[in-house]
Amino acid sequence: MATLILGTVGRALGGPLGGLAGTLVGSVLDQGIFGGSKTRDGPRVANLAVQSAAYGEPLPRIYGRMRVAGALVWTAGMRESRTSTGGGKRGAANNSYSYSASFAVIVSARAIIRVERIWADGKLLRASDGTLIYPATIRSHTGNEGQGVDPLIAAAEGIGVAPAYRDRAYVVFEDLPLADYGNRIPNLTFEVVADEGDVAVGAIIQDIASPGLVGGDIGPLLLGFAAARAGSIRATMIQLAEIADLVVREGDTGLVLGPGAGTTILAGALGASEAAAIPALHATRAASDGIPDALVLGFSDPARDFQPGQQRAVRRSPVLRSEAHDVSAAATATAAKQLAETLLRRAIARRSTAVLAMSWRYATLRPGDTVSVEGDPDPWRVRRTTITGAVIECEVERVASLPGSAAPAADSGRVYAPGDAPNGPTVLHVLDLPSLDGVAMTPRLLLAAAGPSSGWRRADIVVSRDGGASYAAVATIAGAATMGAAASVLPGGTTDCWDRLSTIDVELLENAMTIDSASEAAVLAGANLALAGDEVFQFARAEALAPRRYRLSVLLRGRRGSEAAIASHAAGERFVMLDDRVVGFDPPLDAIGSPSVLKAVGPGEDIVAVRAVGVVPAGVALRPLSPVALTVTTGPTGDRAIGWIRRSRAGFAWIDGADAPIGEEVEAYRLTVAIDGAVVRTVEVGEASWIYPAASFAADGGGTALALTIAVAQLSAAVGAGATAMRTIDIFR
């Protein structure tokens, strides 16, 4: 309160500076009177209300095996949990907030057998065997007649008040962590099993429309069907009847589902009328522009985790007009392709219609019956009958003939299978290396993460610069890096040509990881860049020795300025493929030399329990590379001409006819002269050469020297001297 009052008074009397002074004085008074607050709150959710399902939303009726979204019917709201870190002598405390929710989702308006896989925001939450990919407490209720109340709902609503949702299958989530879903209840979908095998279309229609309709196990078999559309039962039945080419007709004891009776009409019986018996079949054919060039069938594809798939049948090309048919059914890609072909053939056949005039002996014909006219090879289906006196007139449409051959096989396309294994722990490597892509302007760390579990998918990388008191998110790694450890020692080698003698065996972290060979031309173009220990190298050949184990050979050594690490290898050192699955993180410039702690937190993991990786950034990506080809030439007067060729971190390729870009703000070098091991002179120059006069050499004690050592390093405005090139020359007398 004093902070607010004195700050306002100060601004009124002394302007901005007075306001600042008043605020400072007020904060001191506040801490003295009220004890002050050294707590910093992290992000919080302002509204803890949970979005509910819309009132009147239809509940799905599931048959066979389907993936459905269901309807949210109960929730206890979101629960906020606070975690405090720091405080006391270590500085201000930090409050972080996490959220969870308990709720129930109805997945079927009829009893089911079980719920198998569950997805949250499209990511697998629970595997088909019940394994939880993310931590959660989940209970399924199958919807039987004696179903009891879920204990969580009973505790929240009270015994005798909480509903049991009998004849409704539902799933209860208890304190589902919401951090991975933007602190909201995610979009949930469920794989529901309602008959263990396929289900007949006739049985589905009978269940939906009963009582009053006789159907049974007729029509084609579907892997699954979801009656979930808003509207009348008739709309769902029409869709099913279209799939199966079935009709509902009047039977002796009520409505009957199935194909109509088949009747053959003699040619002589046609043409009956009240005036005369004139043979006649009045046939018409609609214009072809009313038929689509292609029919696209949308369905639920089990090969794609029951997500929407499409198959189409084409009448003619080019396709100028297509027609979409979506069915709430699960089918294989081949079965969906066959159904699309069948629906298109039916549409083509229905172009042909006719009116048949017959004698009263055919008065038993009903809509849906099939009639064959003598001499006509293709049948007709009765749409409507009219009886006028002793004459029966039937409006009929052509029935599609069976295909001459089976429809071609179809596939579901490329399917991403995320797997059912849990994410598991994460192995994190923090790499302080020269920049791999362009000139770094800030210190750059490379982050490589993966897990020994086949289910590893991602991890959030957090960093702390205050010893673990607080963390900030810096990256999300959604693809496992190919990495492991060296199973043999990489021998020393040379950097100026292919190393065709040395090999290194590597053991990868997980069985699904692989390494491929590449042509030497591809390697020269940048392929197969890897890290062993601290040496960046490339390889052309990768030979599989055993699961997870490879032997790498035909090497290019000391790449990206890492030649100093060639002689410092050991068995068990880190191995990482430096490809696009390695993520860059750019800390601020003042992070150089300051300890940092990083953690890779997988889905649902407690950040406190995750192993920390400590690093002190050295700003290697900002360091100039060491010069090369350092020469010392003594002239006739005793002056020594020292020269070198610079390298650039702005590019590692050889450029014919031009020098590589400098890559630094200015070109500058630090040259150090040592005589017999003692440094006698340090100079800074702006070009790649320097003259060491004979007089200076003599003044530095060169007259009695046995060895002259020259060290040269290019300078950087950000981190000073880079790597050093050194040469020692024996002085002969």
Side-chain angles (χ1 to χ4, degrees), residues 640 642 671-682 690 692-711 726-731 733:
R640 288 170 170 80
I642 302 172
L671 186 145
T672 302
V673 179
I675 293 180
D676 290 342
V679 176
V680 296
R681 189 177 295 266
T682 300
W690 179 66
Y692 190 14
S696 298
F697 176 71
D700 292 338
T704 60
L706 298 177
L708 172 65
T709 301
I710 304 295
M726 183 178 297
R727 183 171 182 183
T728 299
I729 300 172
D730 293 331
I731 300 175
R733 302 190 183 280

Side-chain angles (χ1 to χ4, degrees), residues 221-503:
L221 297 177
L222 298 176
L223 297 179
F225 185 81
R229 291 186 174 183
S232 65
I233 293 177
R234 180 175 179 272
T236 300
M237 293 179 61
I238 288 176
Q239 184 186 87
L240 289 166
E242 182 181 27
I243 293 174
D245 197 23
L246 299 174
V247 295
V248 178
R249 57 190 178 84
E250 187 176 355
D252 295 336
T253 59
L255 296 179
V256 176
L257 174 70
T263 303
T264 299
I265 301 175
L266 301 177
L270 292 175
S273 68
E274 292 184 330
I278 304 173
L281 187 156
H282 304 283
T284 58
R285 189 176 187 185
S288 63
D289 57 4
I291 307 300
D293 298 323
L295 187 145
V296 180
L297 181 71
F299 66 106
S300 182
D301 191 345
R304 304 179 64 88
D305 288 339
F306 293 89
Q307 295 196 75
Q310 284 190 340
Q311 292 293 332
R312 70 177 192 160
V314 178
R315 179 171 69 99
R316 63 184 181 186
S317 296
V319 175
L320 302 179
R321 177 175 173 266
S322 62
E323 186 175 288
H325 287 243
D326 290 325
V327 294
S328 304
T332 65
T334 297
K337 177 77 170 179
Q338 293 172 345
L339 179 56
E341 297 280 356
T342 299
L343 293 177
L344 184 58
R345 285 199 310 274
R346 291 176 190 166
I348 294 172
R350 283 196 292 265
R351 291 173 54 199
S352 299
T353 59
V355 176
L356 306 179
M358 301 164 288
S359 63
W360 59 269
R361 73 183 68 177
Y362 296 102
T364 57
L365 289 176
R366 294 289 185 270
D369 288 347
T370 301
V371 297
S372 298
V373 177
E374 186 180 15
D376 188 346
D378 296 322
W380 302 84
R381 175 168 292 152
V382 177
R383 295 198 305 194
R384 184 168 60 182
T385 60
T386 303
I387 301 177
T388 305
V391 177
I392 308 299
E393 284 190 350
C394 290
E395 296 180 13
V396 295
E397 64 183 13
R398 186 68 80 181
V399 176
S401 59
L402 296 176
S405 59
D411 61 63
S412 302
R414 185 174 180 179
V415 179
Y416 168 68
D420 289 353
N423 195 85
T426 301
V427 177
L428 174 66
H429 287 306
V430 182
L431 313 176
D432 196 353
L433 300 176
S435 177
L436 302 182
D437 52 356
V439 181
M441 304 306 294
T442 62
R444 175 160 296 174
L445 298 177
L446 299 180
L447 309 174
S453 166
S454 61
W456 192 94
R457 280 169 290 280
R458 71 176 184 87
D460 295 322
I461 310 300
V462 297
V463 63
S464 172
R465 295 185 60 195
D466 55 9
S470 62
Y471 284 88
V474 295
T476 295
I477 298 181
T482 302
M483 64 189 202
S488 67
V489 178
L490 179 59
T494 180
T495 63
D496 54 10
C497 63
W498 288 95
D499 183 349
R500 302 183 186 276
L501 299 178
S502 301
T503 65

